[in-house]
Amino acid sequence: MDTLIKTTQKVDILEESDIPPFFDVLKANIIRSHMELTVIFLKATVSNSQKNSMIEDLEEQIAHFLVSEVRNTDMLFRLEGSLRWGILLTQNGEEEGNAFLNRIFQLVKSKDSPFKIDLAFTLQGIIAEVKNDQVMFEDLIGKQFDVFSQLTEPWEIEKVTSFKTQPMERVKVSILEENVIFGEVLELTVQKMVVDHFQLETKVFSDGHEFLQSDWYLSGHTHIVIMNDILPRKNGLNVLHTLRQMANQKKFIIYMMTNRKSQGDMIYAYESGVDEYLIKPFDLNLFQAQLKRTFARL
């Protein structure tokens, strides 16, 4: 920011009533695309002795300042009532929101800051990270009123955690293994896992043909497929090619089990779309650790 902010011209930013449709679209991607979304609320306070005209000038000057500091991907909007603003931080979590507010506060308080306003004021901020697609924009608005009413110190930042509770996400796990006993062992290993925020549904298939003839793999849920490369009727590579040709193929996370150890075989498997390559015999604890790492990335 290179110039002093002295203008009182009304800055063109969104209003609170404009935000709900944008918020609904963004929160839908929280589950589908695992996108981060954080809402920041800002409140400025001045002494009661200030005239309304001076407060109106201050409101526009702060709005100009905020416009110069937010990114093009963020949404700045006025809240109902004077000297209050909100910012939708897309693709950012609580930590980034906290860093943003601290930077804003330091700029305002710094003696060397190019942001200069004659009227003295202080700021308070609220950070609300949203991790649940059931949250309504009205819930956030109501919460910020409650929290601001409880803040007593200038330059105070409060983190709201009540919107961070994540819903359970359904994940399908298919095991394609001809050996009945080993298939059951793998299924039990998966079922014993405790993975926060995920509900696992497992099913074992004796070969690729049985799997592809079912409608089990046609839903839109995240789907982990653990399969042998050699199977009766349709083998693992046939299944792999079928899944990777589907329009929604990114929902599949594919583990290939094999006795083949050559570098050429591994390269071919990865180039064909395998996500994890398991050389038999493999340790079940290691296998479980790989699965947990997969869930951590979802």
Side-chain angles (χ1 to χ4, degrees):
M1 186 167 42
D2 300 319
T3 58
L4 301 183
I5 297 177
K6 293 290 185 180
T7 179
T8 57
Q9 180 181 359
K10 188 174 179 65
V11 63
D12 185 20
I13 62 176
L14 295 169
E15 301 295 331
E16 180 182 317
S17 58
D18 298 324
I19 299 301
F22 295 106
F23 179 78
D24 288 343
V25 171
L26 291 169
K27 75 173 183 178
N29 287 320
I30 293 174
I31 303 301
R32 288 202 300 263
S33 304
H34 305 284
M35 185 191 76
E36 291 185 303
L37 174 62
T38 298
V39 184
I40 285 178
F41 297 104
L42 272 170
K43 175 184 176 184
T45 302
V46 297
S47 65
N48 294 330
S49 61
Q50 303 300 332
K51 297 180 180 179
N52 288 338
S53 60
M54 298 179 68
I55 292 177
E56 289 174 2
D57 289 346
L58 172 64
E59 188 162 34
E60 293 311 313
Q61 290 166 349
I62 294 177
H64 274 277
F65 167 63
L66 293 174
V67 166
S68 70
E69 294 299 325
V70 299
R71 304 167 304 177
N72 292 334
T73 54
D74 299 329
M75 292 185 183
L76 172 66
F77 57 95
R78 302 177 196 273
L79 291 168
E80 292 183 5
S82 63
L83 299 177
R84 293 180 185 235
W85 302 267
I87 306 169
L88 288 184
L89 296 182
T90 60
Q91 302 177 10
N92 282 124
E94 183 181 275
E95 291 186 9
E96 290 85 358
N98 189 58
F100 174 83
L101 273 185
N102 277 299
R103 179 171 61 82
I104 292 295
F105 286 10
Q106 289 302 316
L107 280 173
V108 173
K109 292 189 290 184
S110 173
K111 294 180 180 180
D112 300 324
S113 172
F115 173 60
K116 303 295 181 184
I117 292 180
D118 294 332
L119 187 60
F121 68 97
T122 60
L123 289 172
Q124 294 171 320
I126 298 170
I127 305 166
E129 184 175 0
V130 180
K131 289 189 174 182
N132 191 322
D133 61 355
Q134 300 303 306
V135 175
M136 303 298 293
F137 184 69
E138 292 78 8
D139 299 332
L140 292 163
I141 295 300
K143 189 67 175 180
Q144 61 93 19
F145 276 112
D146 293 340
V147 175
F148 274 135
S149 68
Q150 297 174 28
L151 298 185
T152 58
E153 299 296 326
W155 312 109
E156 193 171 353
I157 297 175
E158 182 70 19
K159 297 177 182 177
V160 174
T161 60
S162 53
F163 303 113
K164 293 175 68 174
T165 302
Q166 293 179 264
M168 296 295 289
E169 181 178 353
R170 182 184 175 193
V171 175
K172 288 187 173 182
V173 181
S174 295
I175 299 166
L176 281 62
E177 171 58 53
E178 182 182 12
N179 186 305
V180 175
I181 294 177
F182 187 54
E184 291 176 351
V185 169
L186 289 176
E187 183 178 31
L188 183 60
T189 301
V190 172
Q191 292 175 342
K192 287 170 59 178
M193 291 177 55
V194 178
V195 188
D196 291 340
H197 313 303
F198 292 100
Q199 177 185 352
L200 308 186
E201 298 182 8
T202 62
K203 197 166 184 178
V204 180
F205 298 88
S206 61
D207 61 38
H209 179 77
E210 181 187 1
F211 174 73
L212 293 176
Q213 286 298 306
S214 73
D215 59 0
W216 174 252
Y217 73 101
L218 296 178
S219 71
H221 300 93
T222 298
H223 198 145
I224 298 175
V225 181
I226 306 161
M227 60 185 178
N228 217 342
D229 59 341
I230 304 299
L231 292 166
R233 294 189 287 181
K234 282 190 179 294
N235 64 32
L237 289 174
N238 293 142
V239 174
L240 173 65
H241 293 150
T242 299
L243 298 182
R244 289 303 182 216
Q245 289 172 2
M246 293 179 64
N248 61 344
Q249 60 93 12
K250 290 185 178 180
K251 74 174 183 179
F252 294 104
I253 301 169
I254 300 176
Y255 283 63
M256 181 70 78
M257 301 182 293
T258 179
N259 291 311
R260 303 178 187 185
K261 302 180 181 179
S262 76
Q263 186 180 64
D265 289 330
M266 293 178 68
I267 291 173
Y268 178 75
Y270 282 122
E271 288 180 344
S272 298
V274 164
D275 296 292
E276 297 285 354
Y277 197 78
L278 302 170
I279 299 176
K280 291 183 173 181
F282 52 84
D283 184 86
L284 290 176
N285 290 325
L286 179 60
F287 165 65
Q288 196 174 68
Q290 288 175 286
L291 274 178
K292 289 180 179 179
R293 185 180 65 175
T294 294
F295 281 106
R297 294 173 177 171
L298 292 180

